[in-house]
Amino acid sequence: MNAQSCDLDAGRMTIHLGAYGEVVSNSLRRLDADGLVRRIWDRDHTVWKPEPDGIVDRLRWLDLPYTMRDEASAIEAFADEVRRAGFRHVVLLGMGGSSLAAEVLRQTCATSGNPLKLIVLDSTIPEVIRETAVAIDPARTLFIVSSKSGTTIEPNSLYRFFRDSVDRQLGREQAGASFVAITDAGTPLERMAQGDGFRRVFTPPSDVGGRFSALSLFGLLPAALAGVDIHSLLSRGTSMASQCLADTSAGENPGALLGAVMGTLANEGRDKLTLFASPSVAGFGMWVDQLIAESTGKDGLGIVPVVSEPLMPVECYGDDRLFVYLRMDGDLDDAMNYSVSELRDAGHPMIVIPMRDIHDLGGEFFRWEFATAVAASILGVQPFDQPNVQASKERTAEILDEIVSTGKVLETGPTGTVEDLLRQAQPRDYLAIMAYVQPTRETDGALTDLRRAVIERYGIATTLGYGPRLLHSTGQLHKRGPDTGLFLQITPGDCDDAVIPGMGYSFGALAKAQAEGDFRTLQRLGRRVVRVDWRSIADLR
């Protein structure tokens, strides 16, 4: 490999490393000497850790581009069955790895002529739930309850809410046919779905972790219902997987090469992977966000994914950035192209990944999964577990018990201001905005303005996540990644609530419990965290 650039067919990308060319070249030679690529394909757990627990049973994602091609026709046949049954909406009730790939494909690939409109609901914020309820006719909506473990509180609570609505319209006996489950075999969700008369229960391979499941049923079934050509997605996925096979050197392997740059530059202090994307594939960033953050944020280490950040003048960016530009052929974005050229000319490491059309996302899913596995090996972390995500779930459960026993949540009020938090900023820190509010155009605009102002004044990277989705994506990185985060939790004021049938708390209480649990955990870990009310952010505009 030329240390400055490389151009690969199909998995092609151009890499400009500047001063880091030699250190990356040395890293690639070490990977080849260690036989890293072959060992990954051989399912050798020692690539990451000495013990096999939580690794050897999470590597089926390597086979998905091939095995799922055999299932694609059956998936599309089910989608045709749903259309013939007269449904008009599909609402996916999921969280994290069970929903993000589907949301990316909904945003980028869904066809306008498809009679089924896909809505991905991954929130417990009451306004978001009511907005979805108003947009659909429950009697003509298929609901997908999606959870690998079958115990995730958000989709299970959402199921109770919408099942009650469909029961009232269609009757209990008929309502089950409006529901589908995607879950591992033997889970509580599978048993509940069978008992409640679901139309179908889909059981993907259990040895695939949630964030590595984009090319499994978790991503492909809702995509097919939305009219996405999953055959083309899998064809591109197979092409990329074939280029990442064991008989290629790391420098000629599009997944290993990307991962080597990611991991090596993170060790060199360039640990803020800043993703730019052409408008038609901008949604891909939310999936990358979870994949990298949850996989690498362990043991005080990790790569901080920075997505959807506003473009800034080159002088605003620090020396902790690695830039990746996902560029779609035919997308005209002069401002982004200019910024990319400026950053490259200023000596920032830059990777440009061209895409021919939206179906190349099938290849990009696999490339980034493979790259993340390689980067984790270089960092020395186990990429397939998420211990602190589970800890956050347990903290939420404790607070919900408080609510059930006392009738209220002992909620922390505002603890400071944005300025209080940012006064602690140091070079190579980043601001993590954690917004437990309804995502709207107004909200996005206000938070984008805040990110722009922070970059201009403090020169640090910024990230943005909406709760509770962020608990299942960047939450692991926040709690056990490098201690360089400044955490700004934004909570809403009072709002109209939504009842969860059969539970001792509402969605409003659940959302508050999740925010409170996250805040308490960050405090307990000694992270720099401030809670503010949404109105204080809106007033900054």
Side-chain angles (χ1 to χ4, degrees):
M1 166 193 165
N2 180 323
Q4 296 298 317
S5 66
C6 126
D7 193 8
L8 300 174
D9 185 28
R12 56 204 168 104
M13 55 185 172
T14 303
I15 302 177
H16 301 273
L17 294 172
Y20 297 93
E22 189 59 33
V23 70
V24 171
S25 292
N26 290 337
S27 180
L28 290 167
R29 284 192 285 270
R30 286 193 297 272
L31 297 186
D32 285 338
D34 291 342
L36 182 78
V37 172
R38 179 170 296 280
R39 289 166 62 204
I40 289 175
W41 283 101
D42 287 345
R43 276 63 166 178
D44 180 357
H45 63 272
T46 63
V47 166
W48 299 284
K49 291 293 180 182
E51 299 299 324
D53 296 346
I55 299 176
V56 294
D57 58 350
R58 287 292 182 269
L59 294 174
R60 181 73 71 87
W61 59 272
L62 289 163
D63 303 323
L64 288 177
Y66 305 100
T67 59
M68 291 307 297
R69 293 184 76 174
D70 296 332
E71 298 188 38
S73 294
I75 293 170
E76 290 196 330
F78 177 75
D80 288 339
E81 172 194 318
V82 171
R83 294 185 189 99
R84 289 194 302 270
F87 291 106
R88 289 295 173 260
H89 283 91
V90 176
V91 177
L92 173 63
L93 312 176
M95 189 60 63
S98 299
S99 62
L100 285 171
E103 175 64 5
V104 169
L105 294 170
R106 183 196 70 80
Q107 289 187 16
T108 56
C109 303
T111 55
S112 58
N114 184 57
L116 290 170
K117 181 181 179 182
L118 174 64
I119 298 172
V120 176
L121 182 55
D122 58 352
S123 180
T124 56
I125 304 297
E127 295 97 329
V128 179
I129 296 164
R130 287 200 311 276
E131 182 180 58
T132 301
V134 168
I136 63 171
D137 174 1
R140 304 184 74 188
T141 299
L142 182 75
F143 297 89
I144 305 175
V145 189
S146 185
S147 169
K148 176 177 171 60
S149 69
T151 61
T152 309
I153 191 169
E154 296 92 346
N156 288 346
S157 298
L158 291 165
Y159 167 65
R160 286 177 173 270
F161 178 84
F162 287 105
R163 179 61 190 249
D164 180 70
S165 178
V166 179
D167 281 355
R168 284 186 278 108
Q169 286 217 21
L170 298 180
R172 183 75 183 175
E173 294 299 318
Q174 300 298 320
S178 296
F179 292 87
V180 167
I182 308 176
T183 187
D184 285 0
T187 67
L189 174 56
E190 182 189 35
R191 293 191 293 272
M192 181 187 73
Q194 291 168 345
D196 286 359
F198 278 29
R199 175 179 288 268
R200 285 282 295 275
V201 180
F202 294 90
T203 54
S206 61
D207 48 356
V208 178
R211 58 189 173 278
F212 286 80
S213 64
L215 295 178
S216 77
L217 283 163
F218 284 109
L220 296 178
L221 178 64
L225 288 164
V228 176
D229 180 358
I230 62 173
H231 288 281
S232 293
L233 280 177
L234 288 166
S235 176
R236 305 293 173 87
T238 303
S239 175
M240 181 62 69
S242 298
Q243 294 176 71
C244 294
L245 285 174
D247 57 356
T248 57
S249 67
E252 297 173 337
N253 180 313
L257 179 55
L258 175 59
V261 176
M262 288 165 53
T264 303
L265 265 62
N267 282 336
E268 293 291 317
R270 295 263 182 180
D271 64 344
K272 311 300 188 305
L273 190 153
T274 304
L275 181 69
F276 296 150
S278 293
S280 62
V281 287
F284 185 70
M286 72 177 74
W287 178 83
V288 169
D289 199 33
Q290 183 200 25
L291 176 70
I292 294 175
E294 200 168 74
S295 298
T296 68
K298 324 278 172 69
D299 306 325
L301 303 168
I303 298 170
V304 179
V306 180
V307 302
S308 303
E309 200 176 49
L311 289 175
M312 303 297 295
V314 67
E315 61 269 17
C316 291
Y317 295 106
D319 61 0
D320 57 348
R321 304 267 195 161
L322 163 64
F323 293 92
V324 181
Y325 179 24
L326 201 63
R327 186 184 66 205
M328 176 66 73
D329 291 349
D331 267 15
L332 298 178
D333 195 326
D334 293 339
M336 190 170 291
N337 290 329
Y338 178 76
S339 291
V340 167
S341 297
E342 268 204 323
L343 289 163
R344 182 188 60 218
D345 294 345
H348 287 282
M350 174 69 68
I351 301 174
V352 179
I353 301 177
M355 297 179 64
R356 294 163 292 178
D357 57 49
I358 55 175
H359 297 113
D360 270 355
L361 283 173
E364 292 308 315
F365 283 133
F366 189 88
R367 186 210 303 264
W368 284 85
E369 289 169 350
F370 201 90
T372 300
V374 169
S377 177
I378 292 172
L379 291 172
V381 299
Q382 206 275 60
F384 307 112
D385 66 354
Q386 51 281 330
N388 295 96
V389 171
Q390 182 59 38
S392 289
K393 293 178 181 178
E394 293 169 358
R395 185 72 57 215
T396 296
E398 292 173 8
I399 297 170
L400 289 174
D401 287 342
E402 290 179 18
I403 295 171
V404 172
S405 62
T406 68
K408 61 182 180 179
V409 60
L410 303 177
E411 188 180 10
T412 304
T415 63
T417 66
V418 177
E419 292 78 6
D420 293 335
L421 182 64
L422 290 171
R423 273 195 288 269
Q424 305 174 60
Q426 299 293 323
R428 299 194 174 185
D429 280 347
Y430 70 99
L431 174 68
I433 302 170
M434 307 178 300
Y436 284 82
V437 298
Q438 181 183 14
T440 64
R441 185 172 299 179
E442 178 189 26
T443 306
D444 286 340
L447 296 178
T448 296
D449 288 346
L450 174 60
R451 298 177 78 178
R452 184 179 292 109
V454 170
I455 301 167
E456 286 177 344
R457 181 170 178 182
Y458 297 94
I460 61 173
T462 65
T463 67
L464 168 61
Y466 283 101
R469 174 193 288 172
L470 67 90
L471 296 176
H472 300 261
S473 56
T474 54
Q476 176 64 43
L477 174 77
H478 290 172
K479 296 171 182 68
R480 288 300 183 191
D483 190 12
T484 53
L486 299 166
F487 299 101
L488 178 66
Q489 188 183 86
I490 303 171
T491 56
D494 293 331
C495 62
D496 292 339
D497 211 340
V499 174
I500 306 175
M503 303 300 291
Y505 49 83
S506 65
F507 278 110
L510 174 55
K512 286 181 179 180
Q514 291 175 303
E516 181 68 18
D518 195 26
F519 184 81
R520 292 184 192 180
T521 302
L522 290 167
Q523 274 193 324
R524 186 171 299 178
L525 292 170
R527 300 304 203 192
R528 294 166 289 174
V529 57
V530 164
R531 169 180 278 183
V532 301
D533 186 272
W534 164 246
R535 288 166 296 187
S536 68
I537 300 296
D539 291 344
L540 291 175
R541 298 197 78 179

